[in-house]
Amino acid sequence: MKKERSLFKHGLKDGLPIGLGYLPLAFTLGVNATTGGFKFLESILMSMLSFTGVGQMTNMTLMLENSTYVSIFIALLVINLRNIVLSLSLSQRLGTDASFWKRLIISMGNTDEIFALTIMREGKIPANYFLGVMTLPYLSWTLGAVVGSLATTLVPQDICIAMGMALYAMLIASVVPAMKKSKPVLFVAVLSGVLSLIMQGIKPVDQALINFLGKSAHSYVLVVGSLLSAGITALIWPLKDSKEEENE
């Protein structure tokens, strides 16, 4: 029992920086949800049940556009597809103390940042350590949403709307470093933007999509653009296996 508590406390300490980093983003999402028309409790529950920044932003956008459940499901599935890979990798590293119920909780908190921190630990990853790491980030995520939702009643509407730009700035900041280091990532980012512009910016194409898919056509643009960009990039820059790399 003492060892489990020690591992949990160690995880809390390591997860503190991640929790502090999540606060501004959660605050912005809370502001956007309330200004977008969601009720206070709806905004909080959305953050509590959707522990993902890009996923929650996309979910809010599609819901406000009255998109179908199917389009929302597909969009979130594509966006969070990487989490399946992360979870598969993490499942091989979890310690023997990871019971079924602990694994369910851990799957909820396996974000990019938490995964990157815990996977660097040598040997098996104790479940209690992982639970400690994800606790403060999750609480910060919820607290930020609460404060952000309440702030809309105290902060002028124009400022709240302007704060929504912080989320897009964060997304750009997260992509740019990878674009500088990798040509495939740069190609995917540029191609996705071009495809989105073609499908939504050119009126004949946009109208054709609406006629074919209905009012929810725009919600499929993200899915189609992402899949096409990833597929084309995979054909141009296929992954090499270890034998090919050794022969080079």
Side-chain angles (χ1 to χ4, degrees):
M1 184 63 71
K2 290 183 178 179
K3 184 179 180 181
E4 293 180 353
R5 291 180 179 177
S6 177
L7 287 170
F8 185 81
K9 290 180 180 179
H10 187 192
L12 285 175
K13 181 180 179 181
D14 289 347
L16 178 59
I18 298 178
L20 294 177
Y22 280 0
L23 272 174
L25 175 56
F27 177 85
T28 302
L29 287 171
V31 170
N32 287 347
T34 305
T35 55
F38 290 95
K39 297 179 180 179
F40 177 76
L41 289 179
E42 293 174 340
S43 174
I44 305 307
L45 285 175
M46 192 176 347
S47 293
M48 293 179 66
L49 299 176
S50 179
F51 193 27
T52 163
V54 180
Q56 186 172 334
M57 179 191 70
T58 304
N59 186 35
M60 286 194 299
T61 302
L62 295 179
M63 290 177 69
L64 292 174
E65 292 178 354
N66 294 320
S67 300
T68 62
Y69 291 120
V70 174
S71 62
I72 294 175
F73 172 79
I74 295 176
L76 293 179
L77 178 63
V78 172
I79 290 173
N80 294 310
L81 198 59
R82 71 191 187 285
N83 290 100
I84 297 177
V85 179
L86 297 183
S87 296
L88 287 173
S89 177
L90 180 64
S91 66
Q92 305 303 310
R93 292 284 309 278
L94 287 176
T96 56
D97 62 330
S99 63
F100 173 76
W101 295 108
K102 287 183 178 180
R103 286 176 179 268
L104 285 180
I105 299 174
I106 288 173
S107 65
M108 176 70 176
N110 190 26
T111 65
D112 296 335
E113 296 80 10
I114 294 176
F115 172 83
L117 173 63
T118 55
I119 205 69
M120 290 189 298
R121 184 183 177 93
E122 295 183 1
K124 292 292 185 178
I125 303 172
N128 287 287
Y129 171 76
F130 193 101
L131 293 173
V133 171
M134 65 172 284
T135 296
L136 291 180
Y138 182 76
L139 292 177
S140 296
W141 190 257
T142 304
L143 177 62
V146 172
V147 176
S149 299
L150 293 176
T152 57
T153 61
L154 303 175
V155 180
Q157 183 79 2
D158 293 339
I159 296 179
C160 290
I161 295 175
M163 290 181 65
M165 296 302 295
L167 181 58
Y168 298 99
M170 182 213 69
L171 295 176
I172 294 174
S174 64
V175 174
V176 169
M179 290 169 56
K180 291 181 178 179
K181 298 179 181 179
S182 173
K183 289 183 179 180
V185 174
L186 174 62
F187 183 79
V188 168
V190 174
L191 183 59
S192 297
V194 171
L195 291 176
S196 179
L197 178 63
I198 292 175
M199 288 187 284
Q200 295 190 82
I202 301 179
K203 289 187 177 180
V205 178
D206 182 54
Q207 189 60 46
L209 288 173
I210 294 176
N211 293 336
F212 180 69
L213 298 173
K215 295 181 180 180
S216 62
H218 290 164
S219 63
Y220 289 98
V221 169
L222 177 63
V223 178
V224 175
S226 299
L227 292 177
L228 284 178
S229 301
I232 294 173
T233 305
L235 291 175
I236 299 175
W237 286 283
L239 290 176
K240 300 178 181 179
D241 57 31
S242 56
K243 293 182 179 179
E244 290 178 336
E245 291 179 351
E246 290 176 357
N247 293 333
E248 290 185 352

